[in-house]
Structure formats: structure tokens, C-alpha cells
Amino acid sequence: MSGKVSRREFAGLAGLAALGAAIGARAAETTDLHAPAPFPKDFLWGTATSSYQIEGAVNEDGRGKSIWDIFSHTPGKIEDGSTGDRANEHYHRYKEDVALIKALGVKAYRFSIAWPRVFPDGSGQPNPKGLDFYNRLVDELLASGIEPCATLYHWDLPQALQDRVGGWQSSDTAKAFADYATYVAERLTDRVRTVFTVNEVGRFVNFGYGWGIDAPGLKLPAAQLNQARHHVALAHGLAVQAIRASARAGTRIGAAENIAACVPAIATPDNIRAAEIATRELNAGFLGVVLEGKYTDGFLAYAGANAPKFTAEELKIIGTPNDFVGLNIYAPQFYVTASDRAPGFHVLPFPTSFPHMNSEWLRIGPEVIYWAPRLAAKIWNIEAIYISENGTSSEDRIAADGQVYDLDRIMFLRNYLTQMQRAITEGVPIRGYFLWSLMDNFEWIFGYGKRFGLYRVDFETQARLPKLSAAFYRDVVARNAIGV
């Protein structure tokens, strides 16, 4: 790491490690008939971050600009006026942060690679120094007994591609992404065996190219928006093929999508069937076409003249089989009931009193992490699902004794993990869980005002402090079960 760990930080880590050891010993000795049911023995517990949100060092070692560099520096775009220029200084503090991951006892860490670090211009000449950072990070993770899981795209598109071809508005960006995927796969998959291609297409396309809320801040008409999404799907398919062709044997590939999560309002057979229909149709623009190799008739009919233009060859590429599907699940997006009218489901309005977490969009609905994987597995016959993100923001105030007692986050996690276990018990093929997030970070348009981490970050001093939820998650991992 770039600096010494303070006594307070060290004490926090030591205390968490000691707590974990005690939890592990107690869990090993438990023979109580009322002990919590364990998760599968090979269940993969992890945590996650993304490059722009934590790395900082935006002008170091040849890194090019990303669309978020430009967007965050545009007045009025970020709620608190901040940027990711410094963020968590992870680029220099990665060893310290790997120690935080190790203290949790998790088996895996999902991080993202900054495309403009590796290809400053988006394509053309690579920047070896950019990939050197990820080589160091991967080696540090492996030395600490943590499995590295890499995401190739978590929204930081090289600004050069946005300027040159319009970013995801052009199929040239999809081809550049495949070249980038090849370069990374050739150099990292001797140690990184799990690769996520793109993260949350449903967010970065709609928010960035449709509503102008996220980078690059465009408000495209429907036809152009659907075409941009198609280009992302094509980029995913091309990347899967490129990685398979260039990676070490055994490398596993998939995408991480914030699935449009549909929940039956009441679990009657008719409503469950309606939720299946809704899940397929409302995810047809990306997840559906990736897993089926075609757009649904309903999607094309609804889009009409605004439907994306595509070829049979493109659909074949997009539909290249995946090894797993990552689902980012936070909140139910739709509660549905059956309908006699097409398309066979009715979306219910949310009451203004519906409970939510510290982030208003994050409605509390633990059952969503049961229904979304269950329905997806059935609709698309998925053999392996990872919950690639789940977590919540919290107020996270420091108490008089210097600690953070984030009981709301613990409540959230306990209930969501219970519903996830319910799904696994019923045979839904959930193989692992990545808690979002390891530590507080730059939360996109909210800046540093929303805290999702297990570790609280003082963004002035860069001190990391374990919250009570870190001990809770450490307990879950040590037991491989949810404590009662």
C-alpha cells in the first residue's frame, strides 16, 4: 500500500479478524438442532467494486479519459459536485484493500478493469502500464487466498470512442471491445478464471444514452437507443467469442445484468406465470437476446419502427452460449398480476408508503432475490447463476464510541440472504454471491453522499473503518450460514 495503516485502522482490522476467528470456532462446534442451515459447501462468497468508483489516479501511468471523467467534471451532473479523480485511491492502496477483503473471510473478489487504462484511445495501441496494475492486484489477491473475478466493462467507456464514433451508438465500439477483451484475456486468464463482460446494460444504456442522467449524458430517440443497446449485446457476444479463442482453457464467461426483476404480487399459479412472461418480455432487449439468440416477438412488436436493425449473423454472435449469468439484484422493479389482455401481465403501481432504504430507489423487497433467479433459471434454462451485486446504502453515522452500527444494512442483508437461501434450497442454481460493496465509494450521480460499503471510508484521510455489517457478513461466511 502507499501509506501506513493507522493504529485505529489496524485495531479495527485486528478486531474484525479476532471476531471472525471466534465465529469460526463457534460455528465449528455448533451441534444445536436449531443451528442455521448451511449453504452448499462450495458456495462462493465474495464482494465487489468497480474501477471508476474506487481507483482514482485518473491521470497516471498513461490512462486515457473515460466518459465518466468528462461527465463528472460537467457542472450540475453530480449531486455533490464531486468526481472520481481521487475516489478511494485504490490504485495506490490496493494492498491495504486486499487486506480488508481477506479480513472478511470471503473466497472471491469481483473487480472491474478500466478500459481506458488498457487502451487510452479505446483501440489501437495498448498501454502495458495500465494492465500492470491489474496484474499486481490479481497477484495480491491470489497471495491472500482470494479468487479474482474480473469485469471488463463497468461503465468507464474510453472518451476517445465516444468522440470518434459515438460510443455505443456504433458497432465499431463493439469490435473495439472484442479487441480489448482479447488483449486482457491473453494476459490475465492464466490467473483469472472468471470473466464478466459487461455490467448493467439496463442501467448504463437507458440512463446514459436515453435519459441523459449518466455518462455520456445523451437523450437519444427510441430507435437510436435500441440500436445502442443492440451494439452492447453484440459487444458481449463478440467478447465471449474472443475470450474463448484467446483465454486459457477453463475460463468461465458471462455478463452481469441488473435484471428487470418481476415479482408475483401474490404467489398464485396465474400470477407466477404472469411474472414469467413479464420477466422474459421486460428483459428482451439484452438478457433475453443474449440467452435466446433472438428478440422476442413481443419486444419487436412493441418497438415497431424503433426496433434495432440487425442481421442473422449478429444474432448468432450475440447468442453465443455463456458459462453463467450474473444477476445484480437490489429491489423489486415490478410487482405483477395476471391479465387476460396481452401481454398477459399487469404491472402494479407502487404505493407512496412502500418502504425503502437510505437510497429512495432501493425499495425493500427481499423476496426479489428469490423470484428473479428462480424465474430466470426456468425461462432460459440457466445452469449457473451468480448474484453479482446485492447490498444497500445506509446513513452510516459514526457513533460516540467511533464505530458504525449500520443495523439497517444488517437487516437488509439478513432478509435478502434468507430469501436467496430459500431459492437455493428449492434447486435454483445460485452458485455464489458478491456483496456490493467492499467499501464506500464514488456512487455515480450521487457522488460520495451514498454509502454502500462494509467499510466506511473517510474520503479526506482515506481511512477505512469496518462497520458492524462487516462483522455480520464475516459471520455468515465463517458459518456458511445465516446466523440466528
Side-chain angles (χ1 to χ4, degrees):
M1 62 190 127
S2 62
K4 292 183 179 180
V5 178
S6 69
R7 289 186 179 182
R8 180 173 173 181
E9 292 174 88
F10 182 80
L13 284 172
L16 182 59
L19 175 61
I23 289 167
R26 187 170 70 248
E29 295 170 0
T30 298
T31 56
D32 185 356
L33 293 176
H34 299 290
F39 283 82
K41 289 183 179 180
D42 59 351
F43 193 77
L44 190 68
W45 293 105
T47 186
T49 63
S50 86
S51 50
Y52 186 74
Q53 292 180 272
I54 66 168
E55 285 182 359
V58 296
N59 296 314
E60 296 185 36
D61 292 333
R63 177 187 180 275
K65 295 290 185 183
S66 80
I67 56 174
W68 273 95
D69 291 303
I70 303 303
F71 188 79
S72 65
H73 277 267
T74 305
K77 297 299 185 182
I78 308 301
E79 193 172 90
D80 61 2
S82 64
T83 73
D85 288 4
R86 185 184 180 200
N88 298 49
E89 295 184 351
H90 175 72
Y91 191 78
H92 296 293
R93 295 174 178 263
Y94 71 93
K95 289 187 178 181
E96 175 184 347
D97 294 336
V98 171
L100 301 182
I101 302 169
K102 186 175 181 179
L104 294 172
V106 299
K107 302 174 185 176
Y109 173 54
R110 178 175 171 246
F111 63 95
S112 79
I113 296 170
W115 186 352
R117 281 203 194 280
V118 183
F119 284 91
D121 293 322
S123 59
Q125 191 67 26
N127 171 36
K129 285 187 177 180
L131 198 66
D132 283 348
F133 167 69
Y134 300 103
N135 273 308
R136 295 193 298 271
L137 173 62
V138 166
D139 288 345
E140 187 71 17
L141 289 165
L142 291 172
S144 298
I146 301 162
E147 179 183 343
C149 302
T151 302
L152 294 177
Y153 185 78
H154 199 131
W155 309 359
D156 41 3
L157 180 76
Q159 181 65 37
L161 281 174
Q162 187 64 42
D163 293 340
R164 200 159 63 240
V165 299
W168 293 113
Q169 293 177 258
S170 172
S171 61
D172 288 347
T173 298
K175 296 170 185 174
F177 184 68
D179 293 339
Y180 157 58
T182 297
Y183 182 82
V184 172
E186 287 175 345
R187 289 157 179 81
L188 287 187
T189 56
D190 57 328
R191 289 154 293 151
V192 178
R193 311 318 305 276
T194 300
V195 178
F196 294 84
T197 55
V198 293
N199 184 80
E200 291 196 356
V201 177
R203 164 72 188 260
F204 77 77
V205 171
N206 290 338
F207 281 54
Y209 287 83
W211 303 334
I213 297 172
D214 284 352
L218 302 181
K219 297 181 180 180
L220 300 179
Q224 294 180 41
L225 183 66
N226 286 333
Q227 196 66 48
R229 187 184 301 105
H230 175 76
H231 291 150
V232 178
L234 179 60
H236 163 78
L238 287 170
V240 172
Q241 293 186 348
I243 295 168
R244 288 238 168 86
S246 56
R248 298 297 177 91
T251 302
R252 302 170 66 253
I253 315 158
E257 177 64 334
N258 56 325
I259 184 172
C262 303
V263 176
I266 304 170
T268 63
D270 286 349
N271 288 343
I272 293 172
R273 176 57 185 154
E276 290 178 13
I277 297 170
T279 298
R280 182 168 182 254
E281 292 299 336
L282 296 177
N283 288 285
F286 178 74
L287 200 57
V289 69
V290 164
L291 296 176
E292 298 182 35
K294 64 179 181 179
Y295 291 107
T296 66
D297 293 339
F299 172 81
L300 294 175
Y302 179 80
N306 295 322
K309 303 296 188 292
F310 54 85
T311 66
E313 179 60 26
E314 286 177 339
L315 291 183
K316 184 177 179 181
I317 293 168
I318 292 169
T320 303
N322 293 251
D323 298 301
F324 62 84
V325 173
L327 299 179
N328 295 359
I329 300 175
Y330 290 92
Q333 290 178 264
F334 305 100
Y335 282 96
V336 302
T337 55
S339 174
D340 292 334
R341 298 182 177 181
F345 62 90
H346 176 60
V347 174
L348 305 182
F350 279 92
T352 56
S353 59
F354 200 97
H356 60 79
M357 298 301 291
N358 173 259
S359 296
E360 291 188 7
W361 62 266
L362 214 170
R363 301 184 179 100
I364 305 169
E367 64 275 14
V368 70
I369 208 169
Y370 165 81
W371 284 107
R374 171 181 157 172
L375 295 173
K378 180 178 180 182
I379 295 164
W380 293 299
N381 194 29
I382 303 170
E383 295 183 0
I385 292 173
Y386 290 92
I387 305 302
S388 36
E389 289 183 25
N390 172 251
T392 182
S393 62
S394 175
E395 192 174 34
D396 290 342
R397 289 191 177 182
I398 299 178
D401 62 359
Q403 301 302 308
V404 176
Y405 300 110
D406 52 340
L407 295 174
D408 53 349
R409 181 176 286 108
I410 292 174
M411 173 278 296
F412 180 95
L413 293 173
R414 180 184 289 118
N415 283 279
Y416 273 68
L417 291 176
T418 298
Q419 288 289 331
M420 183 178 73
Q421 186 175 39
R422 173 190 171 199
I424 294 170
T425 300
E426 294 182 14
V428 178
I430 301 173
R431 309 301 186 202
Y433 171 91
F434 293 87
L435 194 153
W436 187 272
S437 177
L438 172 64
M439 55 187 168
D440 300 336
N441 52 48
F442 178 79
E443 185 51 34
W444 306 113
I445 58 173
F446 299 106
Y448 298 99
K450 295 297 181 183
R451 295 178 175 270
F452 276 79
L454 293 173
Y455 291 90
R456 190 183 195 279
V457 178
D458 182 323
F459 292 104
E460 291 299 319
T461 67
Q462 292 296 333
R464 279 83 154 129
L465 174 70
K467 305 171 189 178
L468 189 62
S469 58
F472 169 80
Y473 193 46
R474 179 69 177 87
D475 182 13
V476 171
V477 175
R479 295 172 183 265
N480 198 35
I482 306 164
V484 294

